[in-house]
Amino acid sequence: MNNYIGVIVDSEAVSLDRIFTYKIPEILKENIKLGQIVKVPFGMGNKKVNGFVLEFISDVDENIKIKEISSIVTNYSVITKKNIELIFKMKKRYFCSYIDCIKLMIPTGITKGIKHKTNYVICIKNELIEKLKKRPYIDIYDAVRKYNGVYTKSELNHKFNFSLSSINTMIKHEVLEVLEKVVSRCDNRVFDKYEEKVLNERQHEIVNSIIDSKLKKFLIHGVTGSGKTEIYMSLVKKMIEEGKESIILVPEISLTPQMVERFKGRFGSDVSVFHSKLSDGERYDEWLRVKSGEVKVAVGARSAIFLPFRNLGIIVIDEEHEGSYKSESDPKYSAIEIGEMKSEIENCKLVLGSATPSIDTYYKCENNQYTLLNISERADGASMPEISVVDMRDELKENNKSIFSRELYAAIKETLEKKEQIILFLNRRGFSTFVSCRKCGFVFKCKNCDVPMTYHSDKKYLICHYCGSTEEIPKICPKCGSKYVKYFGVGTERVEREVKKIFSAARVLRMDKDTTGKKNSYELIYNSFKNGGADILIGTQMIAKGFDFKEVTLVGIVAADLTLNIPDYRAAERTFQLISQVSGRAGRGSKKGKVIIQTYTPESYAIQYSSKNDYKNFYKTEIMLREGMNYPPFSKICIANMSSKNETLLIKYTQIIGSFFKNKFSGCDNIDILGPCPSPIGKINEFYRWQILLKGEVTYNTADFVKKSIYEILKKDYNVIRISIDINPLSLL
């Protein structure tokens, strides 16, 4: 008999990150469950706090006085038994606290009493009495009988112009009554039927390979437009037929409308939608639908991986190469790694899909950790687009100072004349990249961050994209007093202005972080372009994947070099992926597509191979370079980032910590210590940033030792200096 439970208290204090033992009172023994929220007395004052039940304990040392739990907060488990197992694995892998993991698995606010949304609706209670058999009572009665339990008093008043006093009179005479009704905050829209398509031979082979195989992990490497989504849908259908559930992850919220449209059009109300743009109430209702078994499929961004399905059959991670699957806040989890853990814990299939797989994932295929499934041709016989590379240095020689090359200008003009659609891609928002003085070279930087500010013409301000601070546009250089202040570089906002100026008759939409801040803004822009409401869509990386617009025949990549010159070993990989993905938006229908890549470095292997849609040779080149430099996947990188508003104290401690690790690992040939040194971006939001890197055979135990050692060295000042530890981070910036 289990007389005790192990509880994690709801606190983010590092010192409380452990399991506390509590006794179960006799009166609660029959009702206690793993994963429940309970109230427990905590601390010297026995303050009642929330705790999460993570384990049962049969016996403890009888000489130790054990407190009893006070009450049960939820009569159901908010964390499944399988997710509890996942929590223990995550804590070890991501060097995070229990509570950090728990909060990923439950809706925001559930511990604060978020409940169902309710309305007080009007219903028929009795027959209309003789006294009220006259207007307006007869009209009210007939309307309520037709819409029984649908409308509130105020809604009846506004919709039918019924007076509130008349409605109240009928309630007083018990002809009508007011009842509390639960109102769903979920998206209950009915979408047009998305008919099931007949799979081609290769699609059919892949579906059968995944379903019939005893192996669990697969990578579908299919060119853009090869029909991967239709494969996912067929796999989901198989799962539903077997009574199992499915999770479909997409990297960007901007892709969610399209996936939702297709999955709800195919599977109807069986689909739940889950992403960060939902309100707390909407997330709670969607989570509860999954928890109660009402839905069989969840479509969403990274956080949907933790939804509490009972009998999970498959996890699909579309565009698996995307960086948004990696969390940048604690716990710094990767949705793909979580998928691998859940595949083992829940005995389900894990399917990754991409036209440009990450180097790490493809390497796993070569080492038989994943089963590789290739698709080399587009579905429905569509051909790959024609791709040309324009050397912008030649344009300058010909005195073309426009942001558009002559070839791209001519192609835009021709495409507009043919009434076809265009996508223009630039992975930088704003009007200009930076503002500087032409006389002395002074660059206007953010006062809080060590980065140039970006000019936004619509707001008439300089804005920092890191901390959000704004400044008025400078007229005089603060360094030399010159009036020669000029905007340099190009952002999506400037591309939009130039397009409207040159092609004044064209209807233009822009999709970037500035235009999609409001709820449902992604979907509005997506639907407008999809339904022919615009001729040209200008955007950042959020338009570079997933979108399937049949009328888009031209894609222009305005500046292909932006990601190539970032000081990060993944720069070439990201450049290849972005160019290949955005190129794949062209010619997905029956019309031939064309892509024009503008660049100042056409000789780059990333640009050369992406222009030929040649992933295999890009991979061979990149993996050879990684091996020569001993970068992942041939090693692991552990990065310790430290930041503080006190620069002097920060430098002092990073030097001490750096010396400690260099001495500790001095005899270790398989681990190199790099740093300490300032981070490439040395200051963000008033916090100075330094880092230390360990590269080589870095185990998770080694990284855990690094974290504990840093905290021990900083124990007097850890409230002044922020610490972030990560293995194989998304970025070294």
Side-chain angles (χ1 to χ4, degrees), residues 655-674:
Q655 297 292 351
I656 293 170
I657 291 166
S659 297
F660 172 80
F661 287 132
K662 285 177 179 177
N663 290 331
K664 192 70 181 176
F665 295 103
S666 60
C668 188
D669 294 332
N670 54 10
I671 293 180
D672 293 322
I673 309 293
L674 307 177

Side-chain angles (χ1 to χ4, degrees), residues 254 416 420-426 492 495-496 499 506-512 515-516 521-522 524-530 533-540 542-545 547-549 552 554-556 558 582 585:
S254 58
L416 289 172
E420 295 167 358
Q421 288 181 307
I422 300 161
I423 285 178
L424 296 177
F425 169 76
L426 178 67
T492 49
V495 173
E496 180 184 25
V499 167
R507 299 166 300 162
V508 182
L509 286 171
R510 174 161 58 93
M511 183 182 274
D512 56 28
T515 62
T516 55
S521 51
Y522 289 93
L524 291 172
I525 296 171
Y526 161 77
N527 282 324
S528 178
F529 193 65
K530 174 195 165 192
D535 306 303
I536 301 174
L537 176 63
I538 300 164
T540 54
M542 61 180 66
I543 67 167
K545 57 239 170 216
F547 281 165
D548 187 8
F549 300 120
V552 172
L554 174 65
V555 166
V558 178
V582 76
R585 302 313 107 204

Side-chain angles (χ1 to χ4, degrees), residues 248-519:
I248 313 296
L249 297 190
V250 292
E252 298 273 2
I253 298 168
S254 58
L255 293 182
T256 309
Q258 181 169 289
M259 277 292 194
V260 170
E261 182 181 280
R262 292 182 174 183
F263 273 83
K264 284 206 169 188
R266 179 75 56 86
F267 301 110
S269 60
D270 269 347
V271 179
S272 171
V273 182
F274 202 81
H275 54 72
S276 61
K277 287 289 184 181
L278 300 179
S279 68
D280 287 350
E282 289 169 331
R283 286 171 71 86
Y284 174 81
D285 283 2
E286 292 287 4
W287 179 87
L288 206 60
R289 288 178 75 207
V290 172
K291 179 74 180 169
S292 60
E294 290 180 32
V295 294
K296 298 293 182 185
V297 187
V299 176
R302 184 178 66 216
S303 58
I305 193 82
F306 299 108
L307 285 170
F309 282 111
R310 299 175 181 178
N311 187 22
L312 192 59
I314 195 166
I315 299 168
V316 173
I317 303 181
D318 191 30
E319 309 289 2
E320 67 83 27
H321 63 277
E322 278 298 319
S324 55
Y325 286 126
K326 170 86 171 176
S327 171
E328 294 184 14
S329 57
D330 289 330
K332 295 181 176 63
Y333 72 91
S334 155
I336 293 172
E337 289 179 347
I338 298 298
E340 291 171 349
M341 294 177 196
K342 286 180 77 77
S343 175
E344 295 301 321
I345 293 170
E346 309 214 20
N347 194 30
C348 67
K349 306 274 187 180
L350 172 64
V351 177
L352 312 183
S354 177
T356 55
S358 71
I359 297 296
D360 291 342
T361 299
Y362 206 83
Y363 184 76
K364 287 179 181 178
C365 291
E366 290 196 329
N367 287 275
N368 300 317
Q369 293 173 263
Y370 277 78
T371 301
L372 178 62
L373 302 166
N374 285 305
I375 315 177
S376 57
E377 295 180 352
R378 284 185 159 179
D380 304 324
S383 57
M384 296 298 290
E386 172 193 330
I387 302 176
S388 63
V389 178
V390 176
D391 188 341
M392 295 301 284
R393 295 171 298 188
D394 294 338
E395 295 295 308
L396 284 175
K397 289 175 185 176
E398 295 296 326
N399 204 33
N400 177 18
K401 297 177 182 178
S402 166
I403 60 175
F404 301 124
S405 62
R406 291 163 295 173
E407 184 177 348
L408 182 55
Y409 170 84
I412 293 172
K413 188 172 182 291
E414 181 185 351
T415 306
L416 289 172
E417 288 170 353
K418 291 194 293 186
K419 307 293 184 185
E420 295 167 358
Q421 288 181 307
I422 300 161
I423 285 178
L424 296 177
F425 169 76
L426 178 67
N427 202 29
R428 179 174 282 150
R429 59 194 173 100
F431 184 83
S432 68
T433 311
F434 63 96
V435 178
S436 74
C437 173
R438 283 188 291 173
K439 185 175 180 181
C440 71
F442 177 81
V443 175
F444 290 82
K445 291 189 175 183
C446 174
K447 294 175 182 177
N448 304 322
C449 310
D450 188 24
V451 292
M453 300 191 80
T454 302
Y455 171 51
H456 288 250
S457 65
D458 57 343
K459 299 179 177 68
K460 306 298 181 187
Y461 272 93
L462 292 174
I463 300 177
C464 175
H465 288 172
Y466 284 84
C467 72
S469 64
T470 61
E471 290 183 17
E472 291 186 7
I473 303 166
K475 295 180 180 178
I476 297 174
C477 174
K479 186 177 179 181
C480 71
S482 166
K483 294 181 180 179
Y484 299 109
V485 174
K486 185 174 174 61
Y487 313 123
F488 291 90
V490 179
T492 49
E493 191 182 324
R494 173 146 176 229
V495 173
E496 180 184 25
R497 177 177 288 190
E498 290 294 311
V499 167
K500 287 180 176 178
K501 180 181 175 182
I502 300 169
F503 305 101
S504 56
R507 299 166 300 162
V508 182
L509 286 171
R510 174 161 58 93
M511 183 182 274
D512 56 28
K513 197 172 181 180
D514 297 318
T515 62
T516 55
K518 295 181 181 178
K519 188 174 180 180

